[in-house]
Short mmCIF file of all heavy atoms in Angstrom, two decimals:
data_model
loop_
_atom_site.label_atom_id
_atom_site.label_comp_id
_atom_site.label_asym_id
_atom_site.label_seq_id
_atom_site.Cartn_x
_atom_site.Cartn_y
_atom_site.Cartn_z
N CYS A 201 7.62 15.37 3.68
CA CYS A 201 6.74 14.44 2.94
C CYS A 201 7.39 13.03 2.99
O CYS A 201 8.43 12.85 2.32
CB CYS A 201 6.49 14.88 1.53
SG CYS A 201 5.67 13.64 0.46
N VAL A 202 6.81 12.12 3.75
CA VAL A 202 7.35 10.79 3.90
C VAL A 202 6.53 9.84 2.99
O VAL A 202 5.26 9.85 3.07
CB VAL A 202 7.35 10.30 5.31
CG1 VAL A 202 7.92 8.92 5.37
CG2 VAL A 202 8.14 11.27 6.18
N SER A 203 7.19 9.03 2.15
CA SER A 203 6.52 8.12 1.29
C SER A 203 6.85 6.68 1.67
O SER A 203 7.99 6.45 2.05
CB SER A 203 6.87 8.40 -0.17
OG SER A 203 6.58 9.74 -0.56
N SER A 204 5.93 5.81 1.53
CA SER A 204 6.18 4.37 1.73
C SER A 204 5.40 3.55 0.65
O SER A 204 4.40 4.10 0.09
CB SER A 204 5.77 3.94 3.12
OG SER A 204 4.38 4.18 3.34
N GLY A 205 5.86 2.41 0.37
CA GLY A 205 5.19 1.57 -0.59
C GLY A 205 5.62 1.81 -2.00
O GLY A 205 5.01 1.18 -2.91
N ILE A 206 6.54 2.70 -2.21
CA ILE A 206 7.10 2.93 -3.54
C ILE A 206 8.61 2.93 -3.50
O ILE A 206 9.22 3.08 -2.38
CB ILE A 206 6.62 4.34 -4.11
CG1 ILE A 206 7.03 5.47 -3.18
CG2 ILE A 206 5.11 4.35 -4.37
CD1 ILE A 206 6.82 6.88 -3.75
N THR A 207 9.23 2.80 -4.67
CA THR A 207 10.65 2.99 -4.74
C THR A 207 10.97 4.43 -4.83
O THR A 207 11.03 5.00 -5.88
CB THR A 207 11.27 2.22 -5.94
OG1 THR A 207 10.78 0.84 -5.92
CG2 THR A 207 12.76 2.26 -5.97
N PHE A 208 11.06 5.05 -3.67
CA PHE A 208 11.07 6.47 -3.59
C PHE A 208 12.14 7.14 -4.51
O PHE A 208 11.87 8.14 -5.15
CB PHE A 208 11.39 6.88 -2.07
CG PHE A 208 11.43 8.34 -1.87
CD1 PHE A 208 10.27 9.08 -1.64
CD2 PHE A 208 12.63 9.03 -1.84
CE1 PHE A 208 10.32 10.48 -1.38
CE2 PHE A 208 12.72 10.37 -1.58
CZ PHE A 208 11.50 11.14 -1.37
N SER A 209 13.28 6.58 -4.62
CA SER A 209 14.38 7.19 -5.26
C SER A 209 14.12 7.42 -6.76
O SER A 209 14.83 8.25 -7.38
CB SER A 209 15.72 6.38 -5.10
OG SER A 209 15.54 5.04 -5.68
N ILE A 210 13.15 6.66 -7.38
CA ILE A 210 12.93 6.80 -8.84
C ILE A 210 11.79 7.70 -9.07
O ILE A 210 11.49 7.99 -10.31
CB ILE A 210 12.71 5.46 -9.48
CG1 ILE A 210 11.43 4.81 -8.99
CG2 ILE A 210 13.91 4.52 -9.30
CD1 ILE A 210 11.10 3.50 -9.80
N TYR A 211 11.13 8.24 -8.07
CA TYR A 211 10.04 9.10 -8.22
C TYR A 211 10.39 10.56 -8.22
O TYR A 211 11.24 10.97 -7.43
CB TYR A 211 8.97 8.90 -7.14
CG TYR A 211 8.02 7.68 -7.47
CD1 TYR A 211 8.45 6.41 -7.37
CD2 TYR A 211 6.72 7.99 -7.80
CE1 TYR A 211 7.60 5.44 -7.69
CE2 TYR A 211 5.85 6.92 -8.13
CZ TYR A 211 6.28 5.64 -8.02
OH TYR A 211 5.48 4.65 -8.35
N GLU A 212 9.75 11.26 -9.10
CA GLU A 212 9.83 12.76 -8.98
C GLU A 212 8.94 13.15 -7.81
O GLU A 212 7.84 12.66 -7.67
CB GLU A 212 9.36 13.41 -10.29
CG GLU A 212 9.26 14.95 -10.24
CD GLU A 212 8.80 15.51 -11.60
OE1 GLU A 212 9.56 15.57 -12.54
OE2 GLU A 212 7.60 15.78 -11.66
N MET A 213 9.36 14.10 -7.03
CA MET A 213 8.63 14.56 -5.88
C MET A 213 8.25 16.03 -6.12
O MET A 213 9.09 16.86 -6.45
CB MET A 213 9.41 14.43 -4.58
CG MET A 213 9.80 12.98 -4.31
SD MET A 213 8.31 11.88 -4.19
CE MET A 213 7.47 12.58 -2.77
N ASN A 214 6.97 16.30 -5.96
CA ASN A 214 6.44 17.63 -6.17
C ASN A 214 5.65 18.16 -4.98
O ASN A 214 5.04 17.36 -4.31
CB ASN A 214 5.50 17.58 -7.39
CG ASN A 214 6.14 16.94 -8.59
OD1 ASN A 214 7.22 17.34 -9.01
ND2 ASN A 214 5.52 15.90 -9.10
N TRP A 215 5.71 19.42 -4.82
CA TRP A 215 4.88 20.12 -3.86
C TRP A 215 3.90 21.01 -4.63
O TRP A 215 4.32 21.79 -5.51
CB TRP A 215 5.67 21.00 -2.94
CG TRP A 215 6.41 20.19 -1.88
CD1 TRP A 215 7.71 19.84 -1.92
CD2 TRP A 215 5.88 19.69 -0.65
NE1 TRP A 215 8.02 19.06 -0.72
CE2 TRP A 215 6.91 18.99 0.00
CE3 TRP A 215 4.57 19.75 -0.02
CZ2 TRP A 215 6.66 18.42 1.25
CZ3 TRP A 215 4.43 19.15 1.17
CH2 TRP A 215 5.45 18.48 1.84
N TYR A 216 2.60 20.86 -4.35
CA TYR A 216 1.57 21.69 -4.90
C TYR A 216 0.92 22.43 -3.76
O TYR A 216 1.08 22.10 -2.54
CB TYR A 216 0.54 20.81 -5.60
CG TYR A 216 0.89 20.27 -6.94
CD1 TYR A 216 1.73 19.15 -6.96
CD2 TYR A 216 0.44 20.78 -8.08
CE1 TYR A 216 2.10 18.55 -8.21
CE2 TYR A 216 0.75 20.26 -9.31
CZ TYR A 216 1.61 19.16 -9.31
OH TYR A 216 2.00 18.60 -10.58
N ARG A 217 0.12 23.41 -4.12
CA ARG A 217 -0.71 24.09 -3.10
C ARG A 217 -2.05 24.46 -3.69
O ARG A 217 -2.19 24.69 -4.88
CB ARG A 217 0.02 25.27 -2.50
CG ARG A 217 0.16 26.49 -3.43
CD ARG A 217 0.95 27.62 -2.80
NE ARG A 217 0.97 28.83 -3.58
CZ ARG A 217 1.70 29.91 -3.33
NH1 ARG A 217 2.44 29.95 -2.21
NH2 ARG A 217 1.60 31.03 -4.03
N GLN A 218 -2.97 24.62 -2.76
CA GLN A 218 -4.31 25.02 -3.14
C GLN A 218 -4.90 25.98 -2.12
O GLN A 218 -5.08 25.64 -0.96
CB GLN A 218 -5.26 23.85 -3.38
CG GLN A 218 -6.60 24.21 -4.00
CD GLN A 218 -7.36 22.99 -4.46
OE1 GLN A 218 -7.09 21.93 -4.11
NE2 GLN A 218 -8.33 23.31 -5.36
N ALA A 219 -5.14 27.18 -2.50
CA ALA A 219 -5.75 28.20 -1.70
C ALA A 219 -7.25 28.14 -1.90
O ALA A 219 -7.74 27.68 -2.91
CB ALA A 219 -5.16 29.55 -2.05
N PRO A 220 -8.01 28.59 -0.92
CA PRO A 220 -9.47 28.57 -1.00
C PRO A 220 -9.94 29.33 -2.27
O PRO A 220 -9.57 30.44 -2.57
CB PRO A 220 -9.95 29.31 0.26
CG PRO A 220 -8.83 29.10 1.21
CD PRO A 220 -7.55 29.11 0.38
N GLY A 221 -10.82 28.61 -3.07
CA GLY A 221 -11.38 29.17 -4.23
C GLY A 221 -10.45 29.26 -5.42
O GLY A 221 -10.73 29.82 -6.45
N LYS A 222 -9.30 28.60 -5.27
CA LYS A 222 -8.26 28.66 -6.39
C LYS A 222 -7.92 27.23 -6.77
O LYS A 222 -8.18 26.33 -6.09
CB LYS A 222 -7.03 29.39 -5.98
CG LYS A 222 -7.26 30.91 -5.70
CD LYS A 222 -5.92 31.59 -5.50
CE LYS A 222 -6.15 33.14 -5.37
NZ LYS A 222 -4.83 33.82 -5.16
N LEU A 223 -7.38 27.14 -8.01
CA LEU A 223 -6.95 25.83 -8.50
C LEU A 223 -5.64 25.42 -7.82
O LEU A 223 -4.83 26.27 -7.35
CB LEU A 223 -6.74 25.88 -9.97
CG LEU A 223 -7.96 26.17 -10.91
CD1 LEU A 223 -7.54 26.34 -12.32
CD2 LEU A 223 -8.99 25.04 -10.74
N ARG A 224 -5.44 24.10 -7.78
CA ARG A 224 -4.16 23.60 -7.24
C ARG A 224 -3.07 23.99 -8.20
O ARG A 224 -3.19 23.87 -9.43
CB ARG A 224 -4.27 22.06 -7.12
CG ARG A 224 -3.11 21.48 -6.34
CD ARG A 224 -3.35 19.98 -6.06
NE ARG A 224 -4.49 19.78 -5.16
CZ ARG A 224 -4.81 18.62 -4.67
NH1 ARG A 224 -4.04 17.52 -4.91
NH2 ARG A 224 -5.84 18.47 -3.92
#
Side-chain angles (χ1 to χ4, degrees):
C201 170
V202 180
S203 302
S204 60
I206 59 172
T207 305
F208 180 83
S209 61
I210 67 173
Y211 275 74
E212 176 180 278
M213 298 303 297
N214 307 306
W215 285 98
Y216 286 79
R217 72 184 188 185
Q218 188 168 18
K222 295 188 176 181
L223 296 175
R224 190 173 296 190

